[in-house]
Amino acid sequence: MTDSVNAEHEATANRKGEHIRICLEEQVQSTGTGPGFDRYRFRHQALPELDFGGIDLSASFLGKRLRTPLLISSMTGGTDETARINARLAEAAEARGWAMGLGSMRAAIENEALAATFRVRRLAPSIPLIANLGAVQLNYGYGVDQCRRAVELAEADALVLHLNSLQEVFQPEGNTDFRGLLRRIGEVCRSLGVPVGIKEVGWGIDAGAAAAVLDAGAAFIDVAGAGGTSWSQVEKHRARDELRADAAAAFADWGTPTAACVREVRAALPDAALIASGGLASGVDAAKAIALGADLAGFGRSLLGGAADPGAGSAEPLMRVMARIEFELRAAMFGIGAATVGALRATDRLLPV
């Protein structure tokens, strides 16, 4: 392997560490826009006619049963620190019955010595596990073989290809040629042999884009809307030139709020498998997302602190956060008289404000 290739691979891994540090230490939240759940309010049911202890959070996704309709969103991997984070996330996901997405696995494809940072199946033998690659890499030499390798390394049940066009624009080493990408996504969907999903990274997927990728063969959509981490703001802290750093400020409120994405995509595509992520912070947010049409609600940065805490000797602090989210979700369902996730999906008690 040449020195230049080695340097490129090292840079990919180092970037993952920088992203975690920036997300934990800097202000990278979207400003001027939120995920949109504050625009909705549940109409309280004073007489729920339910036993709170009997409320059922079980769900199904891509043919697999889950104990909760909740997902640890794709976040990280590729360094020793992120290996510890992924291990804690996987341990907690297995214990609590959440699905889990892995961070971008490009680092492991480029350097198999880093593959161990994504190998968490031994810690999470029963949950749905989703491998992850940047879709734009299909325009930069990646194909079905690399996608299949990501799935094999993670022993994953599915692959998600993430769309991060604006992040690539602001990233110093970004890949910005998105031409012809839909056709290449379709090739992967047809050939991979496991379900392939499409997700954004924090600016949202609208009905038109969702329909296009579903027509190309995608099995699910994660809208990953605006209101949580803004990757233009993350990359602002990594910018090597003043122009990009200054320009990033103009995009702090960019994107479509998560709630609006879910509502639009579900209205246009009633049978789509749909994940809501982007700025969710509580079980009430999750309940609203599901009532708007999501099948699963995904949490990312709100879990990162508990998983990354160097003083934590186990996944227990993280699991306490997850248990709190589950309790809030169950309480919201009790508050509207919904005994099951299906009843929450069908409720007419979520009203715009």
Side-chain angles (χ1 to χ4, degrees):
M1 190 177 292
T2 67
D3 289 344
S4 63
V5 171
N6 273 327
E8 182 180 349
H9 293 178
E10 184 177 354
T12 300
N14 289 341
R15 184 164 68 245
K16 304 306 176 185
E18 288 185 81
H19 284 161
I20 289 295
R21 180 192 63 77
I22 291 168
C23 285
L24 289 171
E25 298 177 4
E26 304 289 350
Q27 170 51 46
V28 294
Q29 198 83 358
S30 295
T31 59
T33 186
F37 297 112
D38 59 341
R39 300 175 189 176
Y40 297 89
R41 186 176 297 276
F42 282 113
R43 185 182 181 194
H44 178 63
Q45 172 55 273
L47 187 62
E49 291 283 356
L50 297 175
D51 174 7
F52 179 73
I55 289 176
D56 183 5
L57 294 187
S58 66
S60 63
F61 190 72
L62 301 177
K64 283 206 161 190
R65 294 296 295 172
L66 284 165
R67 295 211 308 273
T68 73
L70 302 171
L71 165 77
I72 296 177
S73 294
S74 302
M75 282 190 273
T76 194
T79 69
D80 289 343
E81 178 190 12
T82 61
R84 289 188 290 271
I85 292 171
N86 275 342
R88 286 178 180 165
L89 291 170
E91 181 184 344
E94 179 70 21
R96 303 299 314 179
W98 293 37
M100 179 179 171
L102 293 164
S104 173
M105 297 180 65
R106 179 181 171 189
I109 299 301
E110 294 178 350
N111 180 3
E112 195 152 335
L114 301 176
T117 68
F118 299 96
R119 287 192 174 116
V120 297
R121 179 54 89 185
R122 72 192 187 284
L123 299 171
S126 70
I127 63 166
L129 191 62
I130 304 173
N132 177 11
L133 286 172
V136 74
Q137 295 309 311
L138 300 176
N139 278 352
Y140 289 83
Y142 277 39
V144 174
D145 288 345
Q146 287 76 16
C147 292
R148 185 172 291 116
R149 186 61 183 145
V151 171
E152 291 170 350
L153 287 174
E155 299 177 64
D157 301 289
L159 173 73
V160 73
L161 296 172
H162 66 262
L163 301 173
N164 64 335
S165 55
L166 277 183
Q167 183 187 7
E168 297 288 349
V169 166
F170 285 99
Q171 196 171 92
E173 57 281 88
N175 299 133
T176 56
D177 184 0
F178 276 66
R179 294 174 298 177
L181 200 52
L182 184 62
R183 176 178 58 81
R184 291 188 168 91
I185 288 171
E187 291 170 357
V188 172
C189 292
R190 288 189 297 274
S191 304
L192 192 58
V194 299
V196 177
I198 302 295
K199 77 181 296 292
E200 238 284 348
V201 300
W203 289 295
I205 292 178
D206 64 16
V213 296
L214 288 175
D215 285 346
F220 62 95
I221 303 292
D222 183 344
V223 297
T229 300
S230 168
W231 284 92
S232 61
Q233 304 315 291
V234 173
E235 296 298 346
K236 175 180 70 177
H237 293 284
R238 300 185 61 248
R240 297 171 186 162
D241 65 86
E242 190 173 345
L243 185 151
R244 276 185 171 81
D246 290 346
F251 290 83
D253 66 349
W254 190 270
T256 305
T258 301
C261 291
V262 172
R263 185 176 182 183
E264 178 181 334
V265 173
R266 178 56 72 206
L269 301 162
D271 298 322
L274 186 60
I275 299 171
S277 69
L280 279 73
S282 72
V284 179
D285 289 343
K288 291 178 179 179
I290 293 167
L292 287 168
D295 295 293
L296 297 184
F299 290 80
R301 190 163 176 250
S302 57
L303 302 177
L304 182 58
D309 183 357
S314 71
E316 284 298 324
L318 171 62
M319 284 194 271
R320 284 195 293 271
V321 177
M322 295 165 70
R324 188 255 306 162
I325 291 169
E326 292 168 30
F327 184 86
E328 292 165 346
L329 171 58
R330 188 175 277 110
M333 292 168 64
F334 188 64
I336 61 169
T340 66
V341 173
L344 175 59
R345 278 281 308 275
T347 187
D348 61 358
R349 304 189 73 84
L350 185 66
L351 306 175
V353 294

